[in-house]
Amino acid sequence: MRGGGLWQLGQSVTRRFAQADKKVIARRCFATESELKKTALYDFHVANGGKMVPFAGWGMPIQYKDSIMDSTLNCRENGGLFDVSHMCGLSLKGKDCIPFLEKLVVADVAALAPGTGTLTVFTNEKGGAIDDSVITKVKDDHLYLVVNAGCRDKDLAHIEEHMKAFKAKGGDVSWHIHDERSLLALQGPLSAPVLQHLTKEDLSKIYFGEFRMLDINGAHCFLTRTGYTGEDGFEISVPSEHALDLAKAILEKSEGKVRLTGLGARDSLRLEAGLCLYGNDMEQHTTPVEAGLTWAIGKRRKAEGGFLGADVILKQIKEGPPIRRVGFFSSGPPARSHSVIQDDKGGSIGEITSGGFSPCLKKNIAMGYVKSGSHKTGTKVKIVIRGKSYDGIVTKMPFVPTKYYKPS
């Protein structure tokens, strides 16, 4: 499922549950979800009013009893707890795990200090993005990364293919896919004070992008201070047998202020934060430079290359890309994925990749790709929605300021 459809799906689910016979809906959802994978919290979601939908082969909550609008605002004002166990965590180990991974991603992994991480992009031979991922150097012979649910099969096949060739040449690297663990994302201003109740580790000493292995609520967890909302927060990898207890403890310690939050709000939060959704805002034909992620390409990597598609990407850094990802404010109905973007003369200059109504700004926001030269902030455009043209203007992202916890 494309993320641009998450908001629309959330709205249609809300209307459907409000209007249709509940028993019929329940039977339909059961029939569909019997074929889907379920996270350790599936029954907990249902018991708490989660409206379950198919997503990347999993039955996932798109929203709960509150609206996507309210859920988005509550995450920014208080906090949200997301079950993101459909995403795939894996570890690479061995003395050559860093040079191995650097063949596949654009990050300067070697330069990361132990216990720190970064966003990176897996690239193909043409410089296109296979997936984006957050990678962490646990120590020099152990890397931890999380890849997107919808890309799991192709990512793992890609890594495995290159690993076999690397090991055949004597490289020391192995991997473990953490299917025994669940992944929870705790996001928002209350995330640190609430989580502090459940661990002895001083969370004020863990900054954005940093990683620790520690006990939380009596379970051995991997904790990364990161997220997909633009807010301060954490992603917590927890043994699946402890996931339910941890989720309950977080909600209890927040005294009702942190709420279970679904994929619908997650999509509006990441759009407000100007973050890419793979499959919408980045695909196999899109380079990191075009996607506005040149900052994720390490300085040494820009000088040396050594990753798949480096010739294409380094040329774009030097000469400029043909297209660029930008943000928009627009009038009329919210722009959707594949809406055509036109210049003031009616010529096509690009298309929208994600769009929706911002619960925080109370206006339409979108992102998409335009030809270089039409990408400057303040450029006026027309966006075609259902055959009609509406005014739009190129704007900087993020739309809502980020609140990552960094050293002052």
Side-chain angles (χ1 to χ4, degrees), residues 177-324:
I177 300 162
H178 291 290
D179 285 340
E180 77 285 359
R181 304 183 79 87
S182 295
L183 190 63
L184 304 181
L186 176 59
Q187 300 285 293
L190 294 183
S191 56
V194 167
L195 196 62
Q196 190 63 75
H197 287 296
L198 303 175
T199 183
K200 293 177 182 177
E201 183 107 7
D202 185 355
L203 298 179
S204 71
K205 295 179 180 176
I206 303 174
Y207 295 103
F208 177 69
E210 294 187 347
F211 172 94
R212 298 286 189 277
M213 290 184 175
L214 72 173
D215 285 347
I216 302 175
N217 200 46
H220 182 62
C221 296
F222 306 162
L223 182 74
T224 312
R225 196 152 196 165
T226 188
Y228 194 47
T229 63
E231 295 294 319
D232 181 28
F234 303 88
E235 289 187 355
I236 311 161
S237 173
V238 55
S240 290
E241 64 271 23
H242 298 294
L244 179 59
D245 286 344
L246 178 56
K248 287 179 175 178
I250 289 169
L251 296 173
E252 181 184 323
K253 292 297 182 184
S254 81
E255 298 178 341
K257 291 182 179 178
V258 171
R259 297 184 203 159
L260 288 170
T261 310
L263 293 177
R266 185 170 161 85
D267 193 52
S268 60
L269 288 158
R270 70 91 195 167
L271 180 56
E272 289 181 338
L275 300 173
C276 287
L277 176 69
Y278 190 87
N280 260 47
D281 311 301
M282 218 177 0
E283 299 194 66
Q284 301 224 36
H285 59 267
T286 315
T287 72
V289 183
E290 293 164 350
L293 298 176
T294 304
W295 61 268
I297 305 171
K299 185 177 179 181
R300 176 176 61 84
R301 311 309 306 278
K302 290 174 185 173
E304 298 175 2
F307 50 87
L308 294 174
D311 54 338
V312 175
I313 291 170
L314 299 184
K315 184 180 180 185
Q316 285 192 351
I317 292 173
K318 184 178 180 181
E319 300 177 4
I323 58 173
R324 297 174 190 256

Side-chain angles (χ1 to χ4, degrees), residues 339 342 383-390:
S339 294
Q342 298 176 334
I383 299 175
V384 182
I385 303 166
R386 295 192 288 273
K388 290 186 67 176
S389 293
Y390 297 91

Side-chain angles (χ1 to χ4, degrees), residues 14-121:
T14 302
R15 289 193 297 271
R16 199 174 70 206
F17 271 82
Q19 296 165 2
D21 180 87
K22 297 290 200 312
K23 292 180 182 176
V24 174
I25 292 294
R27 285 199 300 270
R28 282 182 191 157
C29 289
F30 245 93
T32 307
E33 276 147 20
S34 65
E35 302 158 15
L36 297 171
K37 289 180 275 191
K38 296 179 180 180
T39 74
L41 297 183
Y42 181 92
D43 291 339
F44 186 62
H45 297 313
V46 173
N48 282 275
K51 294 164 186 175
M52 312 302 286
V53 299
F55 185 81
W58 294 77
M60 299 298 293
I62 189 118
Q63 68 183 104
Y64 295 84
K65 294 172 183 176
D66 53 354
S67 69
I68 290 173
M69 182 96 61
D70 288 343
S71 200
T72 301
L73 293 171
N74 185 69
C75 182
R76 297 231 185 272
E77 292 165 6
N78 296 301
L81 180 63
F82 304 80
D83 180 6
V84 290
S85 305
H86 58 312
M87 298 181 74
C88 177
L90 62 136
S91 288
L92 295 173
K93 293 187 176 182
K95 67 179 177 63
D96 298 321
C97 65
I98 291 173
F100 167 69
L101 187 61
E102 284 195 343
K103 292 180 178 294
L104 307 183
V105 302
V106 300
D108 187 347
V109 185
L112 290 172
T116 68
T118 184
L119 177 74
T120 193
V121 179

